[in-house]
Short mmCIF file of all heavy atoms in Angstrom, two decimals:
data_model
loop_
_atom_site.label_atom_id
_atom_site.label_comp_id
_atom_site.label_asym_id
_atom_site.label_seq_id
_atom_site.Cartn_x
_atom_site.Cartn_y
_atom_site.Cartn_z
N GLY A 45 -8.67 75.12 -3.29
CA GLY A 45 -8.48 76.54 -3.00
C GLY A 45 -7.19 77.09 -3.58
O GLY A 45 -7.08 78.30 -3.83
N ALA A 54 -12.09 74.99 -20.01
CA ALA A 54 -12.53 74.01 -20.99
C ALA A 54 -11.42 73.03 -21.37
O ALA A 54 -11.71 71.93 -21.84
CB ALA A 54 -13.04 74.73 -22.25
N LEU A 59 -6.79 64.31 -13.22
CA LEU A 59 -6.49 62.88 -13.25
C LEU A 59 -6.00 62.47 -11.87
O LEU A 59 -5.01 63.00 -11.37
CB LEU A 59 -5.42 62.56 -14.29
CG LEU A 59 -5.76 62.79 -15.76
CD1 LEU A 59 -4.62 62.28 -16.64
CD2 LEU A 59 -7.07 62.09 -16.15
N GLY A 64 -5.77 56.07 -3.46
CA GLY A 64 -5.89 57.16 -2.50
C GLY A 64 -6.05 58.54 -3.10
O GLY A 64 -6.60 59.44 -2.46
N PRO A 67 -10.32 60.20 -3.93
CA PRO A 67 -11.11 61.12 -3.11
C PRO A 67 -10.57 62.55 -3.15
O PRO A 67 -11.34 63.51 -3.12
CB PRO A 67 -11.02 60.54 -1.69
CG PRO A 67 -10.65 59.11 -1.89
CD PRO A 67 -9.82 59.07 -3.12
N TYR A 70 -11.51 63.93 -6.62
CA TYR A 70 -12.95 64.19 -6.72
C TYR A 70 -13.29 65.56 -6.17
O TYR A 70 -14.05 66.33 -6.78
CB TYR A 70 -13.76 63.12 -6.00
CG TYR A 70 -15.23 63.46 -5.94
CD1 TYR A 70 -16.06 63.22 -7.03
CD2 TYR A 70 -15.77 64.08 -4.82
CE1 TYR A 70 -17.39 63.57 -7.00
CE2 TYR A 70 -17.10 64.44 -4.78
CZ TYR A 70 -17.92 64.19 -5.87
OH TYR A 70 -19.24 64.57 -5.84
N LEU A 78 -14.56 70.60 -13.05
CA LEU A 78 -13.68 70.02 -14.06
C LEU A 78 -13.97 68.53 -14.19
O LEU A 78 -14.41 67.89 -13.24
CB LEU A 78 -12.21 70.22 -13.68
CG LEU A 78 -11.69 71.65 -13.64
CD1 LEU A 78 -10.25 71.67 -13.15
CD2 LEU A 78 -11.81 72.32 -15.01
N PRO A 79 -13.69 67.95 -15.35
CA PRO A 79 -13.83 66.50 -15.50
C PRO A 79 -12.83 65.78 -14.59
O PRO A 79 -11.72 66.27 -14.35
CB PRO A 79 -13.49 66.24 -16.97
CG PRO A 79 -13.57 67.57 -17.64
CD PRO A 79 -13.28 68.61 -16.61
N HIS A 93 15.14 47.18 -5.48
CA HIS A 93 15.06 48.62 -5.16
C HIS A 93 13.75 49.13 -5.76
O HIS A 93 13.75 50.06 -6.58
CB HIS A 93 16.26 49.38 -5.72
CG HIS A 93 17.58 48.87 -5.26
ND1 HIS A 93 18.14 49.25 -4.05
CD2 HIS A 93 18.44 48.00 -5.83
CE1 HIS A 93 19.31 48.62 -3.91
NE2 HIS A 93 19.51 47.87 -4.97
N ALA A 100 7.58 53.10 -16.57
CA ALA A 100 6.17 53.11 -16.18
C ALA A 100 5.30 52.56 -17.29
O ALA A 100 5.60 52.73 -18.48
CB ALA A 100 5.74 54.53 -15.84
N VAL A 108 6.93 53.91 -20.89
CA VAL A 108 8.12 54.76 -20.79
C VAL A 108 9.20 54.02 -20.01
O VAL A 108 8.92 53.40 -18.99
CB VAL A 108 7.80 56.09 -20.06
CG1 VAL A 108 9.04 56.95 -19.94
CG2 VAL A 108 6.71 56.84 -20.79
N ASP A 110 13.17 54.50 -18.34
CA ASP A 110 14.22 55.42 -17.94
C ASP A 110 15.56 54.76 -18.25
O ASP A 110 16.07 53.94 -17.49
CB ASP A 110 14.10 55.73 -16.45
CG ASP A 110 15.05 56.83 -15.99
OD1 ASP A 110 16.15 56.92 -16.56
OD2 ASP A 110 14.70 57.56 -15.06
N ARG A 121 17.40 42.21 -19.84
CA ARG A 121 16.16 42.28 -20.60
C ARG A 121 15.11 41.32 -20.06
O ARG A 121 13.93 41.65 -19.95
CB ARG A 121 16.43 41.99 -22.08
CG ARG A 121 15.18 42.10 -22.96
CD ARG A 121 15.49 41.86 -24.42
NE ARG A 121 14.30 42.00 -25.24
CZ ARG A 121 13.83 43.15 -25.70
NH1 ARG A 121 14.47 44.27 -25.40
NH2 ARG A 121 12.74 43.18 -26.44
N ARG A 146 -16.10 53.32 -19.54
CA ARG A 146 -15.96 54.71 -19.97
C ARG A 146 -14.70 54.85 -20.81
O ARG A 146 -13.67 54.24 -20.49
CB ARG A 146 -15.91 55.66 -18.77
CG ARG A 146 -17.23 55.84 -18.06
CD ARG A 146 -17.12 56.86 -16.92
NE ARG A 146 -16.26 56.38 -15.86
CZ ARG A 146 -16.68 55.68 -14.82
NH1 ARG A 146 -17.95 55.34 -14.70
NH2 ARG A 146 -15.83 55.28 -13.89
N PRO A 147 -14.73 55.66 -21.88
CA PRO A 147 -13.55 55.78 -22.75
C PRO A 147 -12.42 56.54 -22.06
O PRO A 147 -12.65 57.33 -21.14
CB PRO A 147 -14.07 56.56 -23.96
CG PRO A 147 -15.22 57.35 -23.41
CD PRO A 147 -15.85 56.48 -22.36
N ARG A 182 -0.68 70.57 -22.55
CA ARG A 182 -0.35 71.99 -22.50
C ARG A 182 0.40 72.30 -21.21
O ARG A 182 1.38 73.05 -21.20
CB ARG A 182 -1.64 72.81 -22.56
CG ARG A 182 -1.40 74.33 -22.57
CD ARG A 182 -2.74 75.06 -22.43
NE ARG A 182 -3.70 74.61 -23.41
CZ ARG A 182 -3.78 75.08 -24.66
NH1 ARG A 182 -2.93 76.00 -25.07
NH2 ARG A 182 -4.69 74.61 -25.49
N VAL A 185 0.29 69.70 -14.07
CA VAL A 185 0.24 70.27 -12.73
C VAL A 185 0.15 69.14 -11.72
O VAL A 185 -0.77 68.32 -11.76
CB VAL A 185 -0.99 71.19 -12.57
CG1 VAL A 185 -1.02 71.81 -11.17
CG2 VAL A 185 -0.99 72.27 -13.64
N VAL A 190 0.52 67.04 0.84
CA VAL A 190 1.70 66.98 1.70
C VAL A 190 2.85 66.30 0.96
O VAL A 190 2.63 65.37 0.17
CB VAL A 190 1.43 66.21 3.02
CG1 VAL A 190 0.48 66.98 3.92
CG2 VAL A 190 0.91 64.81 2.75
N TRP A 198 12.51 68.00 -6.16
CA TRP A 198 12.76 67.16 -7.35
C TRP A 198 11.62 67.25 -8.35
O TRP A 198 11.83 67.49 -9.54
CB TRP A 198 12.98 65.72 -6.89
CG TRP A 198 13.00 64.70 -7.99
CD1 TRP A 198 13.65 64.78 -9.18
CD2 TRP A 198 12.33 63.44 -7.98
NE1 TRP A 198 13.44 63.64 -9.92
CE2 TRP A 198 12.63 62.80 -9.22
CE3 TRP A 198 11.53 62.77 -7.06
CZ2 TRP A 198 12.14 61.54 -9.55
CZ3 TRP A 198 11.05 61.51 -7.38
CH2 TRP A 198 11.36 60.91 -8.61
N ARG A 200 9.35 69.47 -8.74
CA ARG A 200 9.21 70.80 -9.36
C ARG A 200 10.01 70.89 -10.65
O ARG A 200 9.68 71.69 -11.53
CB ARG A 200 9.66 71.89 -8.37
CG ARG A 200 8.64 72.21 -7.30
CD ARG A 200 9.00 73.50 -6.56
NE ARG A 200 8.03 73.79 -5.53
CZ ARG A 200 8.21 73.53 -4.24
NH1 ARG A 200 9.36 72.98 -3.83
NH2 ARG A 200 7.28 73.81 -3.35
N TYR A 222 -2.63 62.92 8.46
CA TYR A 222 -4.08 62.83 8.33
C TYR A 222 -4.69 62.35 9.64
O TYR A 222 -4.13 61.47 10.31
CB TYR A 222 -4.45 61.81 7.24
CG TYR A 222 -4.32 62.29 5.82
CD1 TYR A 222 -3.09 62.25 5.16
CD2 TYR A 222 -5.43 62.74 5.11
CE1 TYR A 222 -2.97 62.65 3.84
CE2 TYR A 222 -5.32 63.15 3.80
CZ TYR A 222 -4.09 63.11 3.17
OH TYR A 222 -3.98 63.50 1.86
N ASP A 224 -7.68 60.82 9.48
CA ASP A 224 -8.23 59.56 8.99
C ASP A 224 -7.54 59.24 7.67
O ASP A 224 -7.71 59.95 6.68
CB ASP A 224 -9.74 59.68 8.78
CG ASP A 224 -10.36 58.41 8.19
OD1 ASP A 224 -9.64 57.40 8.05
OD2 ASP A 224 -11.56 58.44 7.87
N GLU A 243 -22.20 64.15 -12.50
CA GLU A 243 -22.18 65.59 -12.30
C GLU A 243 -21.81 66.31 -13.59
O GLU A 243 -22.41 67.34 -13.93
CB GLU A 243 -21.21 65.96 -11.18
CG GLU A 243 -21.67 65.55 -9.79
CD GLU A 243 -20.62 65.83 -8.72
OE1 GLU A 243 -19.52 66.32 -9.06
OE2 GLU A 243 -20.91 65.56 -7.55
N ARG A 244 -20.83 65.77 -14.29
CA ARG A 244 -20.41 66.40 -15.53
C ARG A 244 -21.54 66.39 -16.56
O ARG A 244 -21.74 67.37 -17.28
CB ARG A 244 -19.18 65.68 -16.09
CG ARG A 244 -18.58 66.34 -17.30
CD ARG A 244 -17.40 65.57 -17.83
NE ARG A 244 -16.85 66.17 -19.03
CZ ARG A 244 -15.94 65.60 -19.79
NH1 ARG A 244 -15.47 64.41 -19.47
NH2 ARG A 244 -15.48 66.22 -20.87
#
Side-chain angles (χ1 to χ4, degrees):
L59 294 186
Y70 173 81
L78 294 176
H93 303 276
V108 179
D110 187 328
R121 182 177 181 84
R146 288 183 294 270
R182 183 188 307 276
V185 181
V190 291
W198 169 45
R200 282 193 181 100
Y222 282 83
D224 177 6
E243 289 175 359
R244 186 182 178 189

